[in-house]
Amino acid sequence: MRTALLSLIVLLTSTACAGWGGSVGGGGANSINVLMVNNPQMVDLQRLTAEHFTEQTGIHVNFTVLPENDVRDKISQEFSSQAGQYDVASLSNFEIPIYARSGWIAPMDPFIANDPAFDQADILPSMTESLKGPDGQIYGQPFYGESSFLMYRADVLQAAGITMPEQPTWPEVADIAARLDGVQPGMAGICLRGQPGWGQVFAPLTTVVNTFGGTWFTQDWQAQVNAPEFREAVQFYVDLVREHGEAGAPQAGFTECLNNMIQGNAAMWYDATSAAGSLEAADSPVRGKMGYAPAPVVETDSAGWLYAWSWGIQAASEKQDAAWKFISWASSKEYEQLVGEQVGWSDVPAGKRASTYENPQYVAEAGAFAEQTKHAIETADPRNPGVQPRPALGIQFVGIPEFPDLGTQVSQEVSSAIAGLVTVDEALERGQELADDVAERYRSRAEGQS
């Protein structure tokens, strides 16, 4: 997941910053309060809101903007208590089904039905599916979305006489990485995240587990972290990054791999589709030299993840109609056009609407990766990402409140294996203990309800 990593460049000091439109609580009855993450696309949104949304609707928007970890904590506190101070919050497709199940956010189906201009059918189906609650209703609207794919130096492969398969498998990728390792001075065969974190190393690694036939949990809540398929996937990943990956891999995340690709220090990189915009930026040394292939597979037909920063309405909000008007505008085709014209087409919050990829102005700017991105998002299946039924929604995560802590703890063990401090077997035995503690709670609940 890209997860606001570029936000350090902007608004780093905005730990409790009210954006354009005033401070929280201002503006009276005809205003709403929005709590959101401080990534660049949302900075653009703040800047454009007063002149365009407020002038059109008369609704003032009071923004509170925080870094990702801080905003997640504040949103959790606010929405779990149903304090009603904030009407709208930026939530991902990880939180929205959980919050919907808890009754913390309002269903959007009635608003959608009364707002045909929003064109829900234009939202990519996988995005809509990932933002539904257990009752089948829609509880969130995506602001922008991403999947994952394989990015590679097409010029380097061509010079080496290597052709990237249309649908590469992980063994094929490992073979190419071995052949390209050191082909240019300082160039690793591949860059893969090794940094601890449920949204760092386990974002790509869980998709590898899925396509190798593994899963964190079976449908009846049996932990599978030390199962053969999970073990094979992690061993493959660890071996690949240790043998042909980047220097400093145990601490490499999205940003580090992005820098490696831009600086010519890696021939391939498997990560978020959103990275392509930076690789193809006007000032990028690798612009026009890149190729893009689907997420590598083994046992599954596709393997890309699915992530979306999205909007949710607090159930306790007394201004839900105004909140929907803001969401409808912020996630609309018209807003994307506005960003393209006033900020730049490479800055459009894409990855959510089919029409984006039919817009000639956007395609002219993002043609190198637009179709591949759309295909990756469309083929992502959050309800069926592997070879067996799952107990919770999610591709690169398990959609339960305990997963951030569980995934982060196990990721620390895996990162240690990448560093050579422990074996994969040792890392996963510890991970199995942690996962089984979580699974036992869910088995107990199921038994109590039967």
Side-chain angles (χ1 to χ4, degrees), residues 219-239:
Q219 191 171 30
D220 59 350
W221 289 108
Q222 301 297 321
Q224 298 290 294
V225 172
N226 67 350
E229 296 84 0
F230 201 112
R231 188 186 303 269
E232 182 185 5
V234 175
Q235 188 69 65
F236 171 87
Y237 189 97
V238 169
D239 289 346

Side-chain angles (χ1 to χ4, degrees), residues 158-180:
Q158 183 178 16
I162 299 171
T163 299
M164 179 63 69
E166 289 187 9
Q167 173 57 79
T169 66
W170 274 113
E172 288 172 334
V173 170
D175 177 67
I176 294 172
R179 295 171 64 185
L180 295 179

Side-chain angles (χ1 to χ4, degrees), residues 110-131:
F111 300 112
I112 295 167
N114 291 324
D115 186 5
F118 179 72
D119 194 4
Q120 182 70 43
D122 186 49
I123 301 292
L124 296 171
S126 58
M127 286 292 169
T128 297
E129 192 66 25
S130 74
L131 298 172

Side-chain angles (χ1 to χ4, degrees), residues 17 42 69 171 175-176 183 212 233 247 305 312 320 368 409 414 417 445:
C17 155
M42 289 177 177
N69 288 340
D175 177 67
I176 294 172
V183 70
F212 268 75
W305 72 55
Q320 292 188 14
Q409 290 190 67
V414 172
R445 291 176 199 172

Side-chain angles (χ1 to χ4, degrees), residues 13-24:
T13 59
S14 62
T15 53
C17 155
W20 295 270
S23 59
V24 171

Side-chain angles (χ1 to χ4, degrees), residues 14-336:
S14 62
T15 53
C17 155
W20 295 270
S23 59
V24 171
N30 204 26
S31 69
I32 60 170
N33 297 325
V34 175
L35 178 58
M36 69 185 188
V37 68
N38 67 342
N39 64 32
Q41 292 91 335
M42 289 177 177
V43 174
D44 294 335
L45 176 69
Q46 285 180 282
R47 185 167 59 82
L48 295 169
T49 294
E51 180 181 353
H52 298 277
F53 175 73
T54 300
E55 282 194 6
Q56 293 170 8
T57 65
I59 300 169
H60 294 270
V61 181
N62 309 307
F63 292 102
T64 298
V65 186
L66 297 168
E68 181 176 351
N69 288 340
D70 295 331
V71 83
R72 287 188 191 276
D73 289 344
K74 189 170 182 65
I75 291 171
S76 178
Q77 295 167 9
E78 166 75 16
F79 279 49
S80 63
S81 67
Q82 288 295 286
Q85 181 180 6
Y86 293 95
D87 305 289
V88 176
S90 59
L91 297 165
S92 77
N93 55 314
F94 170 73
E95 291 96 359
I96 281 180
I98 296 172
Y99 282 28
R101 186 179 300 112
S102 300
W104 299 347
I105 51 180
M108 295 183 173
D109 291 48
F111 300 112
I112 295 167
N114 291 324
D115 186 5
F118 179 72
D119 194 4
Q120 182 70 43
D122 186 49
I123 301 292
L124 296 171
S126 58
M127 286 292 169
T128 297
E129 192 66 25
S130 74
L131 298 172
K132 288 182 178 180
D135 59 2
Q137 294 194 78
I138 297 170
Y139 283 83
Q141 292 297 346
F143 181 56
Y144 71 83
E146 67 180 27
S147 183
S148 55
F149 55 19
L150 183 68
M151 297 159 275
Y152 61 93
R153 285 285 300 274
D155 60 330
V156 172
L157 268 71
Q158 183 178 16
I162 299 171
T163 299
M164 179 63 69
E166 289 187 9
Q167 173 57 79
T169 66
W170 274 113
E172 288 172 334
V173 170
D175 177 67
I176 294 172
R179 295 171 64 185
L180 295 179
D181 197 2
V183 70
Q184 292 185 8
M187 178 175 281
I190 194 167
C191 200
L192 294 170
R193 299 190 200 186
Q195 187 178 114
W198 72 279
Q200 281 290 355
V201 66
F202 264 122
L205 181 49
T206 297
T207 72
V208 179
V209 169
N210 290 338
T211 197
F212 268 75
T215 181
W216 283 84
F217 302 101
T218 62
Q219 191 171 30
D220 59 350
W221 289 108
Q222 301 297 321
Q224 298 290 294
V225 172
N226 67 350
E229 296 84 0
F230 201 112
R231 188 186 303 269
E232 182 185 5
V234 175
Q235 188 69 65
F236 171 87
Y237 189 97
V238 169
D239 289 346
L240 178 56
V241 75
R242 280 179 60 83
E243 293 170 7
H244 304 298
E246 72 280 11
Q251 292 302 318
F254 176 92
T255 301
E256 289 75 18
C257 281
L258 175 61
N259 289 337
N260 276 323
M261 288 300 298
I262 288 176
Q263 294 166 9
N265 294 329
M268 294 187 292
W269 177 27
Y270 171 60
D271 214 295
T273 56
S274 57
S278 297
L279 297 176
E280 301 291 349
D283 59 350
S284 170
V286 297
R287 176 183 173 91
K289 300 178 181 179
M290 300 297 302
Y292 304 91
V297 296
V298 178
E299 299 291 340
T300 57
D301 292 332
S302 61
W305 72 55
L306 191 69
Y307 193 78
W309 274 116
S310 308
W311 305 112
I313 300 173
Q314 185 168 182
S317 169
E318 296 180 354
K319 302 175 181 179
Q320 292 188 14
D321 287 340
W324 170 257
K325 288 181 181 179
F326 169 76
I327 292 170
S328 177
W329 173 73
S331 291
S332 67
K333 304 173 193 176
E334 291 74 19
Y335 178 75
E336 290 190 4

